[in-house]
Amino acid sequence: MALDQISENTEEKEMTFLDHLEELRWHLVRSVAAIFVFTIAAFLAKSFIWDTVIFGPTKPDFWTYQKLCELAEAVKTPSLCIGKDIPMDLQNREITGQFTQHILSSFIAGLILAFPYAFWEIWRFIKPGLRGSEAKASRGAVVVVSFLFLSGVLFGYFIVTPLSINFLSNYSLSSSIVNLIDIKSLVSLVVTLALACGLMFQLPVITYFLSKTGLVTPELMKTYRRHSFVVILVVSAVITPPDVISQVLIAFPLVFLYEVSIVISRRIQKQMDEKLA
């Protein structure tokens, strides 16, 4: 067994640059194939993707609006009960518009659903190049990254998107202006907010790797903590109704992730200091 392991290690060390490219190519092929399969499934589920998912935040019976109204009644804050009136008439102004948006929405759905598998394939290519301690420390990376990404997408879709749609659709410069929204604009808003939150929820993972390289330290993050909180509150104030409770609903998860990132950075620095000592 020992000789077999030595021969396998020797073969891995003797892999050329082209061999690594070939291996990467197959990982990418399998990732793209998974995205393609989920894209086809989403394309066939047209009614669910459009009527339930994309148009969902524009309807008064959307889950988020119902829960906010229940919360508004519980805390005696009527302004929290939103979504009852969304003045939005959707239209398509291009002959290829509906078909193009159908393909785009299917691809985005396929990308989100296939993300855990696609990231696992890429991680399989990266992991052999890590040292023993690095591989051990990054155990469970696929689960953590996938969980944070999907949590961010759900947060963006169920929290940020309906609040943004309610605010933007009711924002009026004049009563003479009627909102005739192109479906391209709606899809762009839903996709951008969901994916942006999915990426934003990767803050702890990004902090982990930046701390490993020494580019980020807990002291640096503590120094700019107040600045970060101000930015978070400003963003929350822009996309929510003008009340404190709605801003807290948006800001709290982001502040929590920032604090978690500081803890992660502190642990990484402590481990590095112990190794140097």
Side-chain angles (χ1 to χ4, degrees), residues 170-267:
N170 284 285
Y171 188 87
S172 177
L173 295 174
S174 171
S175 58
S176 302
I177 302 175
V178 178
N179 285 333
L180 299 176
I181 310 299
D182 195 300
I183 58 170
K184 185 186 299 184
S185 177
L186 177 63
V187 172
S188 176
L189 179 67
V190 174
V191 168
T192 300
L193 292 177
L195 291 182
C197 288
L199 296 177
M200 189 165 52
F201 268 49
Q202 299 300 318
L203 179 60
V205 177
I206 296 172
T207 301
Y208 174 84
F209 287 105
L210 291 180
S211 298
K212 277 287 189 180
T213 61
L215 294 176
V216 170
T217 63
E219 290 76 17
L220 179 66
M221 297 190 70
K222 288 179 181 177
T223 301
Y224 288 97
R225 174 187 275 155
R226 293 182 180 179
H227 302 77
S228 302
F229 289 176
V230 170
V231 172
I232 290 173
L233 289 174
V234 169
V235 173
S236 302
V238 169
I239 64 176
T240 58
D243 63 86
V244 177
I245 296 180
S246 297
Q247 295 178 23
V248 171
L249 289 174
I250 297 294
F252 178 76
L254 303 181
V255 171
F256 176 74
L257 287 174
Y258 192 86
E259 293 297 328
V260 169
S261 299
I262 293 178
V263 174
I264 292 173
S265 182
R266 186 186 299 120
R267 291 186 60 182

